[in-house]
Amino acid sequence: MATFLVLTLLTLWSFSSPVQAEIFTSIGQMTDLIFAERELVQSLKEYIEAEELKLEAVKSWADKLDLLTRASTSDPEGFLAHPVNAYKLMKRLNTEWSELESLVLQDPSDGFISNMSVHRQYFPDEEDEKGAAKALLRLQDTYKLDSESFSKGKLPGQRQHSGVRYNAELTVDDCFDMGKLAYNENDYYHSVLWMQQALRQMDSGEDAKTLKADILDYLSYSVYQMGDLPRAIELTRRLVAIDPSHQRAGTNLRYFERLLSKELRDLGRSQQEPADERPIQLDTYERPKDYLPEREVYEALCRGEGVKMTPKRLSRLFCRYQDGNRNPRLLLKPMKEEDEWDSPHIVRFLEALSDEEIEKIKELAKPNLARATVRDPNTGVLTVAHYRVSKSAWLEGEDDPVIARVNQRIEDVTGLSVNTAELLQVANYGVGGQYEPHYDFSRKDEPDAFKSLGTGNRVATFLNYMSDVEAGGATVFPDFGAAIWPRKGTAVFWYNLFKSGEGDYRTRHAACPVLVGSKWVSNKWIHERGQEFRRPCGLTEVD
């Protein structure tokens, strides 16, 4: 029975096709999986209870017949001399054993398997698991989290929810899988960090399905790839000591030793330095450079290590009541406005969205959330990208009065027409959700980016924060060092173009990875057409 259940589950796992892809890119959609898993647990408990009832009935039969057969086999002829015993033997073998056979063949797993097949189509797939693992690696890099703290669930900024702190720890097997994923991507830097953590936890006595030989195998080769031959040799010797017949260990050891000997000869030394016995940490090996030139600045801003304004610059920041140039809708209740940065000028509007509006927007967006895309600079076609990890939906004013009201409010406080603006884009960031440094406007080398819209370039960005974020998730500007942190119900606004129509390249910005929490935002990108009399052209290029 157990074998049949396992095989059936494996079959469901292998052949069902998920209808939802990239679930890991949206925390909002992942919450549905929590409730699905709870329902499956209940279904599993019901299956177990049915199996236990069946086994109790079978055990009762077995106990009763065990006593009977002991008596009957001690004196078969004497036992059958009693006609009732002879009759009951015929009855048992003809009827009752058949009933027992039917009982044993009953399959209480049908309900559970049926429930599994219903939910399985919504389950994450292998790409989701990989995406979530890569998100953890991204968080580790951005926020400089050592593997041990990460493994123990110790994350900065984590708060209690309703009096409960949700800690989560990674096992040896989890750490090994993280390291193996990195290894398979030729990411030996992270492979070393997580294989080392798996080994540390195993050496401390934690039980695991993973073999120590497998950890040492991956770790030693990854360390070699990072250029640390002495440590690679020491780890490989440990591997040979526990598994002398290991397929690769002996060959690797001889190869590493030859390489080290050659290095020593080239350096004119006869003896190698002993291997570094200190545990491998984040700074033991240099993290490889990647495609993003401002990576270090960007990540430092995400950690809150941005530029600190001088008292003189701070004195130029003000707060005010914004009435939209005496707009009738804002006269009785003007919008509270705060300066976030002086140049380029970035402002934050307070109480830009009410809690009720936020919930309504999320309710409308959630069924339509799809992987967020970026515009290909060469073709102008929207496509997914690894540097943007979130899901988004587009809402029209006709979808609900709340959307129409939000659009009108944006027009009132900015003084810009939203008639040519893009639809309201609602985004929810998933595990480690981010959007790496980018421009909102199209550059001269991508003139067709917004050609199909026929509304010109993106002149301004209006960004609503629809949730607080416990840790991470800032909007940062690497060029001048600003970091703007999400505050639920507020919105930030800046111009992407100078009055001349030239792009303000200082506005290159990013959405930092969400470390703890769920981040919801809504964007309104306002275009040039329709602003001719609302924001007249300037006379100089950077006016």
Side-chain angles (χ1 to χ4, degrees), residues 380-487:
V381 175
L382 295 174
T383 182
V384 299
H386 67 277
Y387 53 83
R388 187 177 193 183
V389 182
S390 64
K391 283 195 171 183
S392 61
W394 301 83
L395 301 180
E396 300 185 52
E398 292 77 11
D399 290 338
D400 192 273
V402 166
I403 307 302
R405 187 164 67 242
V406 169
N407 288 340
Q408 184 63 59
R409 187 178 302 144
I410 292 172
E411 178 167 308
D412 292 343
V413 298
T414 63
L416 299 175
S417 172
V418 297
N419 291 334
T420 57
E422 294 173 48
L423 302 181
L424 188 71
Q425 186 205 51
V426 182
N428 179 228
Y429 291 79
V431 183
Q434 64 160 4
Y435 192 178
E436 289 182 350
H438 62 282
Y439 301 101
D440 279 354
F441 64 92
S442 66
R443 276 75 66 210
K444 291 180 179 179
D445 60 348
E446 45 181 15
D448 296 334
F450 301 115
K451 185 177 182 180
S452 62
L453 300 179
T455 54
N457 213 339
R458 286 173 172 171
V459 66
T461 295
F462 194 98
L463 172 61
N464 290 299
Y465 293 116
M466 303 200 302
S467 65
D468 294 313
V469 180
E470 292 182 39
T475 304
V476 299
F477 295 77
D479 184 83
F480 50 90
I484 300 174
W485 301 92
R487 283 157 52 192

Side-chain angles (χ1 to χ4, degrees), residues 18 120 123-132 181:
R120 183 68 186 96
F123 277 15
D125 58 17
E126 185 178 355
E127 289 305 308
D128 282 301
E129 184 178 344
K130 284 183 179 179
L181 177 133

